[in-house]
Every structure is written in structure tokens, then in C-alpha cells.
Amino acid sequence: MRPAFSVVIFTTLTGAGQGLFLAVYFTELVALWSNAVLPPAIFVTAGAAMAAGLALLGLAASFFHLGQPGRAWRAAAMWRTSWLSREVIVLPLFIALCAAYTAAHHLGGTGFAWTGVFALLACAALFLCTAKIYMCLKFLQEWASPLTLLNFVLLGTASGCTLAVSLALALAPQMLNALCGASMVMTLAALGARAASLARNARLRPKSSLQSAIGVANPRIRQTSQGFTGRSFNTREFFHGATPQKVRAVKWSFLLLVFLFPVVLIAVGMLADSPSLLSIAFPVQYFGLLAERWYFFAQANHPQNIYYQAMA
Amino acid sequence: MKQLALVIDLNVCVGCHACVTSCKEWNTSGSAGPLSDQNPYGADPSGTFFNRVQTYEIGVFPDTQTLHFPKSCLHCEDPPCVPVCPTGASYKRAEDGIVLVDYDKCIGCNYCAWACPYGARELDEHKKVMTKCTLCVDRITDQSRAEAERKPACVMACPTNARLFGDVHDPESEVARAIRERGGYALMPEWETRPANQYLPRRVSGSSADGK
Ligand code: SF4
Ligand code: SF4
């Protein structure tokens, strides 16, 4: 598939927003349960507001994917059958509930942790909707796996925790060690899941073939003409057009930028007590996630491509 | 229940593209607006078509056959493109099984095109909405036309009668009989979309291609 930049930005920004909310909310919940000092209210409000803001930016980016953005409201109609429609409903809901959680802390201080439960449910539902959009297309075999959901959840959470580290540097130094730990653990967990999906996809055998596409059993078939010498939607939308070398370079870049570098930056930053190392971990990881998402789309091999192999 | 569809006879298609041009002509001229072309006379032309004719070479020289293969939306009986549409713009008509897009509802999100394994849908670059074969719905339901002309433009244009049109659920129809008697088959059966359009396999006789 051709990676659409709007969707790459949308899914990475929203995922980081969801992860940031989870990091902030769990910091608060763990402190409550263990009777420890609560995180400062300003950390919670700033974090949750930022989470809502990232999701809002993601929502804005998603509009650039539409041919008719003015009609986007219509997309809420078919929630009974369409995961995309469900996402369109749940995303604003998550933003609103995150904002409500922020407002409750801003106005009422601590003691309003329960308001986060609703945002937590919306956050989980949003991960499910986003992943299901891709998982439910069964002939995009690279996507049709529970690993897609696991990756969206873990990559979002890891980037959110890494962003929470930067936030804690400024607003909640007493939470810094815990969040650094969370960021490293989640990033390593995400590496496990992403490596599993890379391994799975490397072994995939496409179910469709030229034989099944045109219904001729002969093992030796070659397209001599796709029917036109120009281009079309089919030749643009479903081919990423990058060389195998570039695709491989993107893969190795994201493996370094999303996983290795942030973990090293956080570990060394903690040991050396270096705020600057800690605070560049998120930009590095986010940049890597753009590459990761590009690769996620580029790697998906649409069966329609079988029909578009030779110009003339 | 009625299911209108095309049956393509691969024995007689000569790859002349008459169906391609008549489809474009009919569907670019109607009230639904043009099927746009971008840069049609330039070095890098591009455009929206509902129907393409492709060509394949089967076997290895000198034992080869050339297969001309018309390809359009198959009006699947279990169309994966429909349930994914978030707006309800994509739908399958209950009365005749035609899969259609409501251009006034479509937001151009491309999701249905991703969900069609055959690449039968094309986003029109000018209208910015999803388009696809309608079986010339505005023509086949036009009661002011003589009965014999209430057929898709491609069917009317085909000089070799390679395109049959009718209700595949009516066992007495020409299309149902052709599928039954001549081994009509569906494309990419592995995805269980149950395409309504089917193809009649070639009966190669006396040529070197089948090894005789
Ligand atoms: S061929 Fe594609 S667009 Fe047409 S009904 Fe089937 S899945 Fe939908
Ligand atoms: S492009 Fe249009 S018809 Fe297709 S899924 Fe989106 S809204 Fe529905």
C-alpha cells in the first residue's frame, strides 16, 4: 500500500496521546493504591490536556486523508458495521473525556481520579477501533493479525510514557524514575511485539496468485498489458513505489529510532542525571514511529496489485 | 432475489477495448458527472475508468495463448467493500444486487477501495469521491428505452458478444445457463466474496496450447 502521510501522522499522534493519558492516569492510580504521594495536580492536568491535544491534532491530520472533508460528519453513520465509523465516534469521545478528566483535576484538585475511568475506557476502545480498521481486511494478510492490535497498543503506550518522562522533568521530578522505568519497559515490550509481527510477515505466503486472480490454472502466466499505458488510482494507491533498499533502510531506521535509541537515552540519562538526554528521547522515538508507520503501510501487499504488473 | 451481473466469455473476447470506451463514454456523460481524466494528452495521462481490458500470456513460447481479460466491479454477493464504508455511501441494492456508491454521501476516504481485493474501485481525482461500475444503472432501468437497449453500454458495444448480462439468480436466464453449462467461475474465490460476475473459461481445441 502507499503510505498516506495524513494517516501516518494521525495514528502516531493519537497513539502517543493515548499513551500519555495512560502514563499520567496510571501514575495517579498507582500512587493512590500504594498510598504514596500523589503526583502534583499540574502534572496530571498538563499531561491529560496534552494527551487530548495530541489526539485533536491527530484528528485534524486525518481530515487531509479525505476527498470530501466537509462531509466528514457523515462518517459516524455506519457504526454498526464499520470500524472506521466506530473510530470516528470514539476519537472525539476520548478527547472530550480526557478534557473532562483534565478539568476535574484543574477545578477540584486531587480526589477526582475516578473521572479518568471513562477516558480509560474510551482510550481502550480507540486502540481497538484503530487496529481493527486494518485487521479486518483479511486479504491484507500483513495486517490481519492480533499482532496489529498489540503493536498499536504497545507503540502508543511506549511513546506516551517517553513523552511523560519529558513532562515529569518539568513538572513532577518525584515521578521521574518511575516513568523512566515505564518508558523502557513499554518500549522493550513493543520491540517484542513488533519483532514478532516482522517475523510473521516475513514468513507470509500470499493466498492469491495470478492463477486465482484470472482463474487460469497454468503455472506459467505473465501479464503483457494492464490495459492502459498511463496511470490510475490503482497504480497510485496500492504501490508504495520505493526500492527494496529504501524499504529495508526504513525498517532498520525505525528499529533503531523507536526502540534502541530511546531505551539507551533514558537509561544513560537516568544514570548520568542528564535532563537533556531524557528530553530528546521522545522526539527521537516519535520520528522513528513515523518511519514505523510508513513501513506498516508499505509492507502490506494488496492482492489487486497482481492485476497491475505490466504497462503494455 | 434478483442479482444482475455480467458473464464474460473469454473464448471470444478479442481485446478490442470497445467496452472500455463505450463504458467511459456512457458514464462520463450522465447526470452523475464526468469520469475525469488528468493530463489526457500529456506525457503522463491518468483517468478514471470503470472497466479495463487486460492481456495475459499463458504458457511458454511456442506453446502460448493470449488471453484478453475484461475487469470491472464484480458486484459481489458478499461484498467486503460495503460494510467497511463509514458513511453508508457504499451499498448493495436489495432489489437487483447492484453495488453502488452514493456520490453525495461519500467522503472519499478510500477505505472501500482498500477493502476490495480486485481493485475495482477508483477514486475520481476531480469529483473526489469513490467511483465504480454501476452496471449502467441509469440505462438498464430507463423505461423510455426499448427493452433490447436496456443493457449496460459495454454489453451493447461488444462486437463479439463476449459480454452477457442478466439475472444470475434466474435459472432460466442466459447468464445462469451460460455459467451452468459452460463452467462459469469466480475470481479469487479464496476471499469468499462470492462475485456475481463470472467468467467462462476458454475451450481450447486443436491448438498447441492444450498439448494436443
Ligand atoms: S468487486 Fe470489489 S467493489 Fe465490486 S462488489 Fe466486489 S468487493 Fe465491492
Ligand atoms: S470512499 Fe466513500 S464509499 Fe468508500 S468507504 Fe469512504 S465514504 Fe464509503
Side-chain angles (χ1 to χ4, degrees), chain B residues 72-76 79-81 99 115-118 120-121 132 193:
Chain B
S72 57
C73 168
L74 308 168
H75 299 278
C76 301
C81 56
V99 175
C116 166
Y118 309 100
R121 294 174 163 247
K132 61 181 277 305
T193 56

Side-chain angles (χ1 to χ4, degrees), chain A residues 88-129:
Chain A
V88 164
I89 295 170
V90 173
L91 175 57
L93 200 66
F94 170 69
I95 296 172
L97 292 170
C98 228
Y101 172 74
T102 313
H105 281 73
H106 185 64
L107 300 173
T110 47
F112 279 89
W114 58 271
T115 53
V117 172
F118 305 107
L120 180 65
L121 291 175
C123 180
L126 184 53
F127 273 131
L128 183 69
C129 292

Side-chain angles (χ1 to χ4, degrees), chain A residues 71 82 133 208 212 214 220 234, chain B residues 59 84 106 111 119 185 190-191:
Chain A
R71 301 177 187 163
S82 167
I133 288 173
S208 291
S212 77
I214 66 171
R220 306 293 292 267
N234 305 74
Chain B
V84 301
C106 175
Y111 194 29
Y185 66 86
E190 61 272 23
W191 303 119

Side-chain angles (χ1 to χ4, degrees), chain B residues 85-87 89-90 101 106-112 121 130:
Chain B
C85 172
T87 62
S90 276
V101 181
C106 175
I107 57 173
C109 69
N110 290 352
Y111 194 29
C112 55
R121 294 174 163 247
M130 197 52 69

